[in-house]
Amino acid sequence: MRKKFFTDYDLKELKSKLSLIIEDEDDDAFKTHFSQIFFAKHDDRVTGYLRNESFKLWVYDSAAGSTGIFYPTIKGNLIPRSQGTEIQFSSKMNVIGRTVFLTFILILSFGILTEIVIQETNELKYLIPRALMGMLLLGLVSTVPLLLYFRTLRIIKRHLINELKLSHQR
C-alpha cells in the first residue's frame, strides 16, 4: 500500500478530523500496550495521539481476536502544501508484539538448529536438506503473526483513507 497520501484539508482542519478519529489518547509505550493487551484497556477503540505535525494510532480488538497481539501502530507525518496537506504513513508492530514475535522466533530457531539441522551425522548431503527443511518450517511458522500484522495494517489504512478522504495523486 502507498505511503504518501494527499488531502484538500488544511493542516488545522485535518488535525480536527484526526482528533475525532482518535477515541482514546495514550502514548505508544510498553506500559500502554501491556495494559491494552492483558487488561483490555481501550479495547476495540482507536487509541493514539496527535502532536504537532504528526500522529500515531492503533486498534486492539480482543473480542473478535482479529488483531491478536501483533497489531500495528501507524504513524503519520502531516506536511502542509500549497493546496491541502500531504500525509506520509509509516508503521511497525507494537512493542509487545515485536517482543513476543522475536522471542518466539529465537526459541524456535534454536530448537530447529539443535533438533533438526545438527545431528550425529553432519555430512553435507544430509545437512543441506535438514537446513532447508528447518528454514521452511521457520518461515511457515513466522508467517502467521506477519499475516495478522499486515491484514490489520491494511484495514486501518483503508479506514483512514476513507474517513479523511485521502488520494494518491497530487
Side-chain angles (χ1 to χ4, degrees):
M1 188 171 272
R2 295 181 188 262
K3 294 185 179 223
K4 259 188 202 181
F5 292 91
F6 299 93
T7 183
D8 293 329
Y9 302 128
D10 65 349
L11 191 58
K12 185 178 179 181
E13 193 176 4
L14 183 59
K15 283 183 176 183
S16 70
K17 293 228 180 252
L18 280 167
S19 64
L20 292 174
I21 291 173
I22 297 173
E23 298 170 296
D24 292 318
E25 190 162 323
D26 218 335
D27 287 329
D28 181 23
F30 186 88
K31 177 184 165 191
T32 303
H33 293 289
F34 185 84
S35 63
Q36 196 150 3
I37 292 169
F38 296 106
F39 303 118
K41 181 182 176 189
H42 310 307
D43 192 26
D44 197 26
R45 296 174 61 85
V46 178
T47 309
Y49 60 84
L50 175 63
R51 295 195 184 113
N52 300 329
E53 275 76 44
S54 69
F55 66 90
K56 197 173 251 192
L57 54 87
W58 58 90
V59 178
Y60 173 70
D61 184 10
S62 67
S66 60
T67 61
I69 64 170
F70 304 109
Y71 61 89
T73 59
I74 298 176
K75 182 179 182 184
N77 290 320
L78 309 175
I79 303 165
R81 299 291 183 209
S82 59
Q83 294 179 346
T85 307
E86 177 184 331
I87 302 175
Q88 294 179 346
F89 287 113
S90 62
S91 65
K92 63 181 178 179
M93 194 178 292
N94 73 79
V95 67
I96 300 285
R98 278 194 320 261
T99 304
V100 168
F101 180 71
L102 291 175
T103 303
F104 178 71
I105 292 300
L106 286 174
I107 291 170
L108 186 63
S109 298
F110 179 76
I112 288 172
L113 185 64
T114 59
E115 297 299 321
I116 295 176
V117 177
I118 299 175
Q119 300 285 322
E120 288 183 23
T121 57
N122 284 325
E123 295 177 30
L124 198 56
K125 68 179 184 177
Y126 299 117
L127 190 61
I128 291 175
R130 289 191 309 244
L132 291 174
M133 186 175 70
M135 287 188 286
L136 178 66
L137 179 64
L138 184 64
L140 287 174
V141 171
S142 64
T143 57
V144 173
L146 293 175
L147 285 174
L148 279 171
Y149 166 79
F150 285 115
R151 183 180 63 93
T152 308
L153 176 64
R154 188 174 63 245
I155 291 168
I156 294 171
K157 276 191 176 178
R158 275 194 196 140
H159 178 71
L160 281 173
I161 290 167
N162 292 337
E163 286 291 317
L164 299 174
K165 297 175 181 66
L166 302 177
S167 66
H168 302 320
Q169 303 156 351
R170 185 49 55 137

